[in-house]
Amino acid sequence: MDWVYIEDLKGRLNEDIEIRGWLYNKRSSGKIRFLLVRDGTGVLQGTIYSPDKDHPLFRTFDELTLESSLILRGKVREDQRAPGGLEMSISDIEVVQIAEEYPITPKEHGISFLMEHRHLWLRSRMQHSVLEVRTELIKAIRDFFDGRGFRNMDTPILTPSACEGTTTLFETEYFDQKAYLSQSGQLYNEATAMAFGKVYCFGPTFRAEKSKTRKHLIEFWMVEPEIAFATLDDIKVLGEDLIVSIIERVLENQKEALDVLERETAPLENIKKPFPQITYEDAIRVLNEKGNSISFGDDFGAPEETALSEHFASPVCVTHFPAKIKAFYMQPAEARPDLVLGMDILASEGYGEIIGGGQRIHDPALLEEKIKEHNLPREAYEWYIDLRKYGSVPHSGFGMGVERMLSWLCGIKHIREAIPFPRLLYRLYP
Ligand code: 4AD
Ligand code: MG
């Protein structure tokens, strides 16, 4: 008998087949017993019918507890009354294990209980749907870059130096040296871009963020494209194209998951290129007009990002930040060397920054000056300065946080649900 996944059932109707999964729910009504079984790809209703109340399958049915693992055998046919429109007439149940009393019940649980049981919580419908969208998102990102000729170049996780400032570095021992977990693959991307023209890296990144917010993870996934000869304007367009292509793909393929999440899709459907673009200075003006007291030179915090993000119906691209609030590698603007050619793309609906990037310094002397200004150890950046000595070209790139993007797509309130096992300020378990 063939083992078939629930998502593939449409092509296997009225055949004798096997479904392998876990008990999701059960109920009985007169001579019928109903089982809801999930197998990871969907949920299927199975029925057992018998006029005999001592039917052996009824006895098996009675023993089954929530999340018991089992193999169902029988034929599946269409039935509009069943959830999902399909139903199996069960001819046999093989119990793999009778589960102990399952700790997660339909009643409301507090968030810390659920986080403590994250290994089980993943099975719940909403969590499952968010992570289904996550796999789609990751595929969409890879297809986008692969389809445009970008070379995927993985960058190291153990590194000798900082990329995004030294305050959020995770330090570890590397035999008799110090090493840091990567905050971003960017610096290495700049080297591979000079070797391959256009590249992307995609992997986990780490930030020892001491702030507890709805938008920060300690470990998160980031996709980072980098292009030799590209300017700020080029990567602004690339960022827009990426976002729009992800949204189209998710709306097309993940309708069911978005329904489960009760995600209103109109705000996503309405997103069109090009996104509005404003400078940091104009953004400060907009914020001040809205009653926010931020002044020039302050970095945006969560309230500012949210306010800006709500001000525009579309994602918005902010550029030309004060050099002193951005990373050392950012190219100064020609007419205003106190500003840098950085860009942040903020999502709409209050979701804040999803992309950060910009144009990089290509002049070796200027780069050395900035490394000194930021009190970074020159030796660790020797190789990075080298890139500016052997055929230096203007180049640009950005990073998109997968969990930020996913939170927005799914309309979830806290980023901790956007990754299977979140690492948070006060959580390393499970
Ligand atoms: O703006 P960030 O810090 O930029 C960089 O790391 C650049 N080196 C990237 C590049 O140019 N190649 O981070 C980029 C994105 C942010 O826009 C956000 O989406 C995400 O990474 N991000 C986080 N996501 C979750 N938790 C955190 N603590 C994050 N910090 C940044
Ligand atoms: Mg940023």
Side-chain angles (χ1 to χ4, degrees), residues 152-197:
N152 178 208
M153 288 292 144
D154 296 316
T155 53
I157 289 173
L158 291 166
T159 64
S161 51
C163 179
E164 292 303 314
T166 49
T167 56
T168 64
L169 274 181
F170 264 110
E171 195 178 305
T172 182
E173 274 167 33
Y174 193 84
F175 307 104
D176 56 358
Q177 300 180 51
K178 264 190 213 159
Y180 308 98
L181 300 187
S182 175
Q183 298 165 306
S184 158
Q186 179 197 321
L187 306 189
Y188 296 97
N189 256 354
E190 292 181 51
T192 57
M194 299 308 145
F196 294 88

Side-chain angles (χ1 to χ4, degrees), residues 115 118 130-131 134 168 170 182-183 203-222 353 401-407 412 414-427:
M115 291 304 297
R118 183 66 179 167
V130 172
L131 297 176
R134 183 183 169 105
T168 64
F170 264 110
S182 175
Q183 298 165 306
T205 45
F206 307 85
R207 308 262 171 110
E209 307 266 10
K210 300 286 162 26
S211 55
K212 207 178 154 191
T213 78
R214 296 184 288 118
K215 291 178 181 159
H216 288 89
L217 288 167
I218 304 300
E219 179 177 315
F220 63 97
W221 283 67
M222 180 154 62
E353 183 192 330
V402 165
E403 294 78 13
R404 294 265 182 100
M405 185 69 200
L406 184 62
S407 300
I412 53 181
H414 200 298
I415 198 166
R416 67 189 160 215
E417 294 177 30
I419 185 165
F421 294 96
R423 307 290 86 157
L424 299 163
L425 185 51
Y426 299 113
R427 176 162 300 280

Side-chain angles (χ1 to χ4, degrees), residues 61-77:
F61 174 93
D62 289 341
E63 277 173 32
L64 291 174
T65 54
L66 277 191
E67 290 301 317
S68 287
S69 41
L70 40 78
I71 298 174
L72 296 181
R73 301 193 175 92
K75 285 192 172 71
V76 175
R77 57 190 152 62

Side-chain angles (χ1 to χ4, degrees), residues 93-248:
I93 301 176
E94 182 182 326
V95 175
V96 181
Q97 190 206 30
I98 296 292
E100 290 180 28
E101 194 180 345
Y102 194 60
I104 301 180
T105 59
K107 77 164 201 226
E108 287 275 309
H109 295 285
I111 188 66
S112 73
F113 178 87
L114 290 169
M115 291 304 297
E116 202 71 9
H117 292 85
R118 183 66 179 167
H119 50 298
L120 301 177
W121 191 27
L122 297 175
R123 303 178 188 190
S124 302
R125 238 174 127 212
M126 306 270 268
Q127 299 307 310
H128 191 270
S129 296
V130 172
L131 297 176
E132 283 281 23
V133 179
R134 183 183 169 105
T135 76
E136 186 80 51
L137 167 60
I138 290 170
K139 271 191 282 179
I141 290 171
R142 288 204 179 273
D143 287 347
F144 178 87
F145 288 113
D146 294 344
R148 289 175 171 231
F150 281 73
R151 305 296 195 260
N152 178 208
M153 288 292 144
D154 296 316
T155 53
I157 289 173
L158 291 166
T159 64
S161 51
C163 179
E164 292 303 314
T166 49
T167 56
T168 64
L169 274 181
F170 264 110
E171 195 178 305
T172 182
E173 274 167 33
Y174 193 84
F175 307 104
D176 56 358
Q177 300 180 51
K178 264 190 213 159
Y180 308 98
L181 300 187
S182 175
Q183 298 165 306
S184 158
Q186 179 197 321
L187 306 189
Y188 296 97
N189 256 354
E190 292 181 51
T192 57
M194 299 308 145
F196 294 88
K198 47 185 173 178
V199 298
Y200 73 97
C201 63
F202 196 171
T205 45
F206 307 85
R207 308 262 171 110
E209 307 266 10
K210 300 286 162 26
S211 55
K212 207 178 154 191
T213 78
R214 296 184 288 118
K215 291 178 181 159
H216 288 89
L217 288 167
I218 304 300
E219 179 177 315
F220 63 97
W221 283 67
M222 180 154 62
V223 61
E224 300 178 77
E226 189 74 31
I227 311 177
F229 294 99
T231 61
L232 175 63
D233 292 336
D234 297 323
I235 55 146
K236 186 227 171 198
V237 173
L238 184 72
E240 283 171 353
D241 286 351
L242 173 65
I243 290 171
V244 167
S245 113
I246 289 170
I247 290 176
E248 278 172 3

Side-chain angles (χ1 to χ4, degrees), residues 30-31 33 48-62:
K31 294 170 187 146
R33 302 290 179 275
I48 315 161
Y49 170 84
S50 174
D52 170 11
K53 65 176 177 24
D54 293 323
H55 191 283
L57 283 182
F58 282 6
R59 262 180 278 140
T60 310
F61 174 93
D62 289 341

